Amino acid sequence: MSSTSSKSSADVVSLFDQYVIPNYGRYPICLTHGGGSYVWDAEGNRYLDLFPGWGCNILGYCPPKVVEAVREQVGQLIHVPNTWFTEAQGEFAKEICSRSFGKAFFCNSGAEAVEGAIKLARLHTPEEKYKIITFQNGFHGRTMAAVTATAQPKYHQGLGPLVAGFQYAPHNDLDAVRELIDDETCGIMIEPVQGEGGVNTPADGFLQGLRDLADEHGLVLIFDEVQTGMGRLGTWFGHQKYGVQPDIMTLAKGVAGGVACGAFVCRDELAPSLRPGMHASTFGGNPLAMAAGIATVKTIEEDNLLEHAQQMSDRFRSHFEPLLDELPILRELRIAGMMVGLDLTVPGAPLVRRCMEKGMLINVTHDTVVRLLPALNITSEDVDQGAELLINELRTLSAES
């Protein structure tokens, strides 16, 4: 593939220095184009990306059906306010809800979806109930309510006062949740698998236990599926992998194949509580995102990617599992579908740099957890190549530690 940039990476970094607020820690590389699990920079270097778009590029870079759907749609309608109906929004809602449950509301991001879910939980329960229980090491977004729901003090520093009504429980601790529930509690919100928190999977029976507590106390159970939705775990949605039905689930990241889109889905009984005038999203449900979302569903279904993702998940496991006996720095391996976490006893940051220098992109979260969110359609050859490179770097890091 040829470069589409007229500037070098250094030139673009200089442009940012002058005009872009420096709130992100960025690598000094300007990415220009991509295809499948590969992306290229302005100098023509190619990278195998095992963390494409922080999970947004769930079909890799520029999936053909999504590209064609957006190209066709952009020539017909780009934006339509939600005071009108569009066929695409209705059809995408049908594609999602017929594979899960209830009715959908569309927005633009995961944080926006979480904000809407919080509002709906409060609106659906008696007015005196407003508290929502979330979980330590969870991550729900950067807007004020979403960041308050994120039970990680490092994200709260300097932002106070935070939004009232959030209580935090240790992950996988049902007794702690039970103790926090009182007459003012309206809901429980959790990621089926914590992503940013380190690919933390639920203990057997934990999610069902939350369902039981919600039913017992009349609470709304919210699953934040921004990361686990749209096939990431080898099922259409994460709650299906664990056989537990939430009242609301939030979606974003890969829901439209990399085009900005968020949504939340609620059971039919909750939908009327989001009455007209209580919530809205100007760009939510826009025709471009809806066309991309429909094409994403079509790609996953026609290319049999749910089954493929599980096969590739097993392939990653077969590569990494033997390392538990070999490398003393590997504390735990946590894999759920195409969410892969290798928890180390040492900081993992050097691995990110070394892999990048060798042409592969990975992520490290919470200092010690190597996190991979490969595209659902990654090939077996790319799994083998990526795993081999990472294992070599892990062996080097282990020898140095």
Side-chain angles (χ1 to χ4, degrees), residues 122 130-136 140 145 148-152 156 163-170 176-190 219:
R122 290 185 172 183
Y130 66 99
K131 294 178 181 173
I132 294 178
I133 298 169
T134 61
F135 293 87
Q136 293 170 5
H140 300 288
T148 306
T150 297
Q152 298 191 53
H156 299 166
V163 176
F166 289 90
Q167 297 178 295
Y168 310 133
V177 177
R178 188 178 292 107
E179 288 177 12
L180 287 174
I181 295 172
D182 60 25
D183 291 341
E184 295 176 326
T185 305
C186 74
I188 300 169
M189 181 163 66
I190 188 168
L219 312 180

Side-chain angles (χ1 to χ4, degrees), residues 31-367:
L31 299 178
T32 58
H33 58 290
S37 289
Y38 288 90
V39 64
W40 282 258
D41 66 19
E43 284 66 43
N45 299 307
R46 188 181 79 155
Y47 303 89
L48 171 60
D49 196 346
L50 298 186
F51 198 68
W54 288 69
C56 297
N57 295 337
I58 202 161
L59 302 177
Y61 289 90
C62 300
K65 288 188 177 74
V66 175
V67 170
E68 286 310 309
V70 171
R71 278 180 175 152
E72 185 177 340
Q73 182 61 52
V74 79
Q76 298 176 11
L77 282 173
I78 295 177
H79 176 67
V80 174
N82 277 302
T83 43
W84 306 96
F85 293 92
T86 62
E87 180 178 342
Q89 187 174 147
E91 288 295 334
F92 189 31
K94 178 185 174 185
E95 297 289 352
I96 292 173
C97 296
S98 64
R99 289 168 174 78
S100 55
F101 60 96
K103 290 183 170 61
F105 172 92
F106 290 103
C107 49
N108 305 290
S109 69
E112 226 188 305
V114 166
E115 293 280 340
I118 292 168
K119 273 190 177 180
L120 180 53
R122 290 185 172 183
L123 287 168
H124 187 70
T125 49
E127 201 163 327
E128 66 272 16
K129 291 177 177 285
Y130 66 99
K131 294 178 181 173
I132 294 178
I133 298 169
T134 61
F135 293 87
Q136 293 170 5
N137 289 324
F139 185 87
H140 300 288
R142 305 280 187 172
T143 53
M144 283 304 289
V147 81
T148 306
T150 297
Q152 298 191 53
K154 66 182 179 183
Y155 292 124
H156 299 166
Q157 291 174 6
L159 295 179
L162 300 175
V163 176
F166 289 90
Q167 297 178 295
Y168 310 133
H171 192 233
N172 283 333
D173 189 338
L174 274 180
D175 290 336
V177 177
R178 188 178 292 107
E179 288 177 12
L180 287 174
I181 295 172
D182 60 25
D183 291 341
E184 295 176 326
T185 305
C186 74
I188 300 169
M189 181 163 66
I190 188 168
E191 300 157 274
V193 176
Q194 291 185 333
E196 191 270 356
V199 193
N200 301 316
T201 53
D204 289 346
F206 179 63
L207 297 178
Q208 183 59 51
L210 295 181
R211 176 72 272 173
D212 295 342
L213 284 174
D215 291 341
E216 181 183 346
H217 295 277
L219 312 180
V220 175
L221 181 62
I222 305 168
F223 279 4
D224 182 343
E225 295 228 28
V226 166
Q227 199 158 127
T228 57
M230 217 58 176
R232 172 63 67 190
L233 302 188
T235 51
W236 276 106
F237 302 99
H239 66 272
Q240 294 162 339
K241 177 179 177 67
Y242 297 103
V244 178
Q245 175 70 52
D247 300 305
I248 303 174
M249 72 169 173
T250 61
L251 301 170
K253 286 197 181 292
V255 72
V259 174
C261 182
F264 63 84
V265 173
C266 69
R267 289 193 297 108
D268 288 336
E269 303 91 294
L270 276 72
S273 295
L274 201 71
R275 55 190 184 275
M278 294 306 295
H279 194 59
S281 175
T282 299
F283 287 103
N286 70 79
L288 293 184
M290 300 299 98
I294 294 167
T296 301
V297 171
K298 189 179 293 186
T299 300
I300 293 172
E301 194 132 278
E302 293 179 354
D303 294 355
N304 200 25
L305 291 183
L306 297 182
E307 183 179 343
H308 179 77
Q310 191 52 55
Q311 291 170 351
M312 294 304 100
S313 174
D314 294 341
R315 201 172 184 98
F316 273 116
R317 184 181 295 278
S318 71
H319 281 293
F320 294 138
E321 212 157 48
L323 299 179
L324 288 166
D325 292 327
E326 178 191 338
L327 299 180
I329 65 166
L330 181 55
R331 180 164 36 208
E332 190 176 12
L333 177 64
R334 298 189 287 268
I335 298 179
M338 293 301 266
M339 296 178 73
V340 178
L342 297 91
D343 193 1
L344 310 180
T345 61
V346 298
L351 290 170
V352 177
R353 178 179 52 78
R354 292 174 182 178
C355 286
M356 191 185 306
E357 289 170 355
K358 290 180 169 58
M360 187 170 80
L361 306 182
I362 62 169
N363 173 257
V364 166
T365 187
H366 275 235
D367 193 37

